[in-house]
Amino acid sequence: MIHTVTIERLSKKIRGTVVLQDVGMRLESGKVYGLVGDNGSGKTMLMRAICGLILPDSGEIRFDGESRAARNPTIGAMIENTSLYPDLTGIENLQLLAKIRRQIGRNQIQAAIKRVGLDPGDKRTYRKYSLGMKQRLGLAAALLGFPRLLILDEPTNGLDPAGIQEMRELICSLPARFGMTVL
């Protein structure tokens, strides 16, 4: 279980452009955190660094005081556009992810898809999902395996006002229900 994530003096340049400079923060277990900043300010890059998808040029990311260079299996993430197989149904996409991750059973897949307000019996392929449905399925994929740290990049993107409210309520309920930290 992750109790704290500590980021100290994190910096990253891409093709000579500074995208993160001396970023520092501390995330404590069981809370919801929001990153606020202008477009291009490095929010997504920071999330990628926490997940281990990019390596910083300097600084440290520690989970409970321990540095980790690779992806942490207790992290669930939905960063930018969710890329799933267009010709598979939502449930088939989650089953494939569960097979890759191992130790995720059928009941967890069903629970994840229901938790985000999708119908596990929907036979439509991902290609035919609305943008809002794709966002919900991306969140369901991130929730597989009950991660201790959940990183969501613009999780309400493409949702209608009612869907935005529903998603916010779901996100806010996760720490109390599952002990997750949400960024």
Side-chain angles (χ1 to χ4, degrees):
M1 176 185 284
I2 296 172
H3 295 287
T4 60
V5 178
T6 307
I7 300 165
E8 292 179 347
R9 303 187 56 81
L10 197 73
S11 295
K12 178 70 177 174
K13 280 185 184 177
I14 296 181
R15 290 186 287 274
T17 301
V18 175
V19 292
L20 296 173
Q21 185 171 355
D22 293 325
V23 175
M25 65 181 359
R26 180 180 168 97
L27 308 175
E28 294 185 19
S29 179
K31 296 184 178 180
V32 177
Y33 294 88
L35 287 178
V36 179
D38 295 333
N39 289 341
S41 64
K43 298 179 301 290
T44 298
M45 200 60 59
L46 177 61
M47 292 177 180
R48 286 180 180 167
I50 294 169
C51 290
L53 298 173
I54 64 160
L55 295 176
D57 297 326
S58 62
E60 266 193 307
I61 301 170
R62 292 190 309 272
F63 298 89
D64 294 331
E66 182 182 328
S67 292
R68 305 224 176 126
R71 280 189 223 175
N72 187 315
T74 61
I75 296 175
M78 182 175 80
I79 297 179
E80 293 186 316
N81 298 326
T82 303
S83 297
L84 295 171
Y85 289 97
D87 294 323
L88 297 180
T89 65
I91 202 85
E92 289 169 340
N93 268 292
L94 294 185
Q95 288 168 338
L96 183 61
L97 289 171
K99 190 178 284 189
I100 292 167
R101 293 184 190 170
R102 300 183 185 157
Q103 300 178 345
I104 296 172
R106 187 171 191 267
N107 290 343
Q108 289 179 345
I109 295 167
Q110 294 283 327
I113 205 160
K114 287 177 185 175
R115 194 172 299 121
V116 299
L118 292 176
D119 175 10
D122 191 342
K123 299 295 182 204
R124 283 180 287 179
T125 61
Y126 181 74
R127 173 188 321 273
K128 294 180 181 171
Y129 275 23
S130 68
L131 181 56
M133 291 173 71
K134 288 178 179 178
Q135 283 292 94
R136 289 173 189 272
L137 189 62
L139 178 58
L143 288 170
L144 284 177
F146 297 104
R148 304 292 12 136
L149 175 61
L150 183 62
I151 297 177
L152 305 173
D153 188 12
E154 300 187 29
T156 60
N157 198 24
L159 298 179
D160 60 22
I164 291 170
Q165 183 62 34
E166 216 175 279
M167 185 69 75
R168 285 182 181 158
E169 289 172 6
L170 172 63
I171 290 167
C172 289
S173 75
L174 294 172
R177 289 173 59 200
F178 304 108
M180 292 178 185
T181 303
V182 182
L183 174 64

